[in-house]
Amino acid sequence: MAGKLYLVPTPIGNLGDISRRAAEVLESADFLAAEDTRVTVKLLNHLGLKKPMAAYHRHNCETAGPAILRRLEAGESCALVTDAGTPAISDPGEDLVALCAAAGVAVEAIPGPCALTVALSVSGLPTGRFTFEGFLPLNKKNRRARLEGLAEEERTMVFYEAPHKLRATLDDLAAVFGPERPLAVCRELTKLHEEVLRLTIGEAVEHYAAQEPRGEFVLVAGGRPAQAAAPDGDGALARAEQLRRDGLPLKAAAAQAAEEFGAKRRALYNELLRREEE
Ligand code: SAM
């Protein structure tokens, strides 16, 4: 019988955040797959464990992944850990999970620390609907293009960022979303120098112009404020609602009413969606 792959989240700073269940799975798994075995050894030492480990990181995943899969298929159990946080969330693991899923090998995720949820929950921004954007592209042109694709996004947006790229990213956020947009800069979460700045993007640009960004960051940006469906919003909205009652899909109803009334299609669509979700 095939073994199982366990996804084991590890602390993003505070070692006390390892859960009892995560520790039990680490102890009982036949072997660990670790992003950096030197980092994982520190956690194992903290837990008083010694385990056989296989390296699994972005530079070897093409060969290490199939090798781990073969061991799972032969009946071993494996606990996948990364340097910090939840495996497969902006770190190695995604491909291994897909490999196991395709091969019919069981995968079990243990809940635990993740910088995304810690930052979102502490941000003070709306959390009901959000989009996780992970790391933005390194290349300036691609980064701008990615952000421009989010210019109309109304949901809260969460980004991971490295300290040496923070200033450039804040400049781009200001250029695309405007300096007035609310932003939570979440730094060194769960660590000694944890800091959450709730300000505007413009204020964040100024803050980090005067101060070198240090540590690990998650940026949580407010979405674009919902706009009314003007011009001719009321008429267009009424028409779109009529088209919905006639059985047209949401997108088509918004597009047709927008064209008939010269209204903004996207704003109309968003307003229609908002009303239907109420
Ligand atoms: N899988 C991890 C998770 O569950 O959050 C994320 C791994 S990703 C390679 C590393 C990024 O997560 C960092 O660049 C930073 O943006 C964010 N991060 C990790 N730990 C953090 C912390 N303690 N405080 C703020 N951001 C953190």
Side-chain angles (χ1 to χ4, degrees):
M1 199 179 121
K4 196 187 257 190
L5 177 71
Y6 294 91
L7 308 177
V8 181
T10 56
I12 58 168
N14 188 325
L15 285 179
D17 290 336
I18 188 87
S19 74
R20 187 180 299 176
R21 185 164 169 230
E24 282 166 7
V25 172
L26 291 178
E27 185 166 15
S28 62
D30 291 316
F31 70 103
L32 311 189
E35 183 178 10
D36 183 338
T37 53
R38 292 162 304 181
V39 173
T40 301
V41 158
K42 288 185 196 152
L43 177 68
L44 293 179
N45 288 343
H46 171 75
L47 297 171
L49 298 176
K50 260 194 161 91
K51 298 294 295 186
M53 281 195 266
Y56 181 82
H57 47 72
R58 69 183 84 256
H59 303 297
N60 77 347
C61 55
E62 278 186 21
T63 51
I68 292 167
L69 179 62
R70 282 193 293 277
R71 293 180 68 174
L72 289 164
E73 286 176 326
E76 288 188 83
S77 61
C78 171
L80 175 67
V81 292
T82 57
D83 290 351
T86 299
I89 303 299
S90 284
D91 64 16
E94 192 180 341
D95 294 345
L96 187 56
V97 174
L99 211 58
C100 290
V105 169
V107 182
E108 188 171 329
I110 314 299
C114 181
L116 153 67
T117 49
V118 179
L120 180 67
S121 58
V122 80
S123 68
L125 291 164
T127 59
R129 297 172 70 221
F130 67 90
T131 166
F132 176 53
E133 291 295 318
F135 289 101
L136 287 165
L138 278 175
N139 170 281
K140 184 172 174 60
K141 197 166 147 237
N142 297 344
R143 193 168 64 233
R144 270 293 180 104
R146 176 77 58 84
L147 287 174
E148 268 151 20
L150 292 168
E152 307 231 325
E153 179 57 67
E154 291 180 359
R155 293 170 295 178
T156 297
M157 292 165 276
V158 185
F159 304 92
Y160 282 170
E161 197 46 284
H164 63 279
K165 291 187 347 218
L166 188 85
R167 284 172 169 159
T169 293
L170 290 175
D171 286 345
D172 286 345
L173 289 175
V176 177
F177 298 155
E180 298 307 324
R181 192 72 77 83
L183 184 75
V185 182
C186 306
R187 189 173 77 85
E188 295 288 86
L189 294 165
T190 79
K191 300 186 194 177
L192 188 61
H193 298 293
E194 170 165 345
E195 177 182 62
V196 178
L197 300 175
R198 298 182 188 86
L199 24 63
T200 64
I201 293 176
E203 287 166 343
V205 169
E206 278 176 32
H207 181 84
Y208 284 106
Q211 185 173 314
E212 184 78 26
R214 284 189 210 284
E216 297 197 275
F217 289 88
V218 182
L219 302 174
V220 187
R224 196 192 69 166
Q227 286 179 353
D232 293 333
D234 290 349
L237 197 55
R239 172 71 176 137
E241 284 173 335
Q242 179 60 52
L243 290 167
R244 287 290 283 147
R245 286 193 290 277
D246 293 346
L248 240 62
L250 198 90
K251 206 168 164 187
Q256 186 174 323
E259 193 173 327
E260 288 176 13
F261 282 76
K264 283 198 174 135
R265 188 173 53 81
R266 165 62 67 179
L268 195 53
Y269 173 87
N270 289 339
E271 182 61 16
L272 208 52
L273 184 65
R274 193 185 64 75
R275 288 186 177 216
E276 291 191 10
E277 281 179 348
E278 268 177 6

